[in-house]
Amino acid sequence: MLTRATRPVIALAVALAIALVVAACGGSNDNNGSGNTQTTGASAQPGKGKPPVTIGSKNFTEQFILGQLYAQALKAKGYTVSLKQNIGSSEIIDKALTSDKIDMYPEYVGIILTAVAHETAKPKSADDAYQQAKKFEEGRGFTVLDKTPFSNVDAMGVTKAFAQKNGLTTVTDLKKLSSFRLGGPPEFKTRDTGVVGLKKDYGLDNIKFVPLAIGLQYKALDSGKVDAADVFTTDGQLQGGKYTVLKDPENTFGFQNVAPVVSQKVLSKEGTEFSKILNDVSAKLTVEAMRKMNAAVDLDKQEPASVAQQFLSANGLV
């Protein structure tokens, strides 16, 4: 795993810039996110005079970064934005959305289907998952904007040593163990894209679930508190080769591209440029870019606002 000493701030900026060129080719409130550039002319500030917008984010690193990316990009174009971070799981933040506590938030399309819409049938593809999520949201007064190139799915992560010792390459292989301790956030235990699905798809009745706060899964793996953990495929920690992500041949974890979920009433008030700004940001978000930004926060201890500002600047989005 890369250490802070080998990943200085200057190297981070260079790495982000490189990743973002590739991308271009292929609970506290934060109302003061950086990236508010000064431009002149009404056409450069389409948000001037438009109603204020409240963006929410869920309770882990990638969501903090996504919230900052969307908020800063809008602020740079003159929109008045309030950012409410660390709201909670999908089940909790959806209630904030539907009760008008927030106007939008970034969500994973597969999670919309399973955790919010409670669909049990598996989508056939990423586009199918997106279209189903869009149809569901539009049926209740919201919509989803363009999805990102990256898909951040839950995955079963183990240490490389544990995988080698037990001959693990796929989730199926976990059935060979008499039992194993699986760490994950509390909601993972009851989701079809979690323990419920693992038991149904793989017959893993040997799971001993250990609830963990998001962000503690790698420490739990390193210390031996758990044998396997719910990880995200864009986690910065996965860059170092210390952990093995088990393949998911049954596609239990689904398709998880990100798309901003937005109130249709808000969209009608904010104008077409509002959607374009958000879609332009989403279009740059590749797996490589997200892993580097997540690593910058989790490993290098950079602030999400600063990391987001570097990304936006490198891509000409602010």
Side-chain angles (χ1 to χ4, degrees), residues 9-10 12-14 16-17 20 34 72 293 296 302-303 305-315:
V9 176
I10 295 176
L12 165 64
V14 174
L16 279 174
L20 310 176
S34 56
Q72 290 185 31
M293 286 191 280
Q302 300 296 302
E303 290 296 324
S306 176
V307 172
Q309 195 278 331
Q310 291 181 58
F311 178 94
L312 295 169
S313 295
N315 283 274

Side-chain angles (χ1 to χ4, degrees), residues 89 167 235 255 276:
S89 67
D235 284 346
F255 303 97
K276 181 181 183 304

Side-chain angles (χ1 to χ4, degrees), residues 223-245:
S223 67
K225 181 178 180 179
V226 298
D227 304 307
D230 171 35
V231 301
F232 302 135
T233 51
T234 56
D235 284 346
Q237 290 90 337
L238 298 178
Q239 293 187 115
K242 184 177 180 180
Y243 305 98
T244 296
V245 175

Side-chain angles (χ1 to χ4, degrees), residues 14 16 49 65 100 141 162 197 234 237 252 254 267 271 273 275 287-288 294:
V14 174
L16 279 174
I65 295 169
D100 296 326
F162 187 80
T234 56
Q237 290 90 337
T252 295
L267 286 182
E273 192 66 20
S275 296
V287 170
E288 182 182 8
N294 287 334

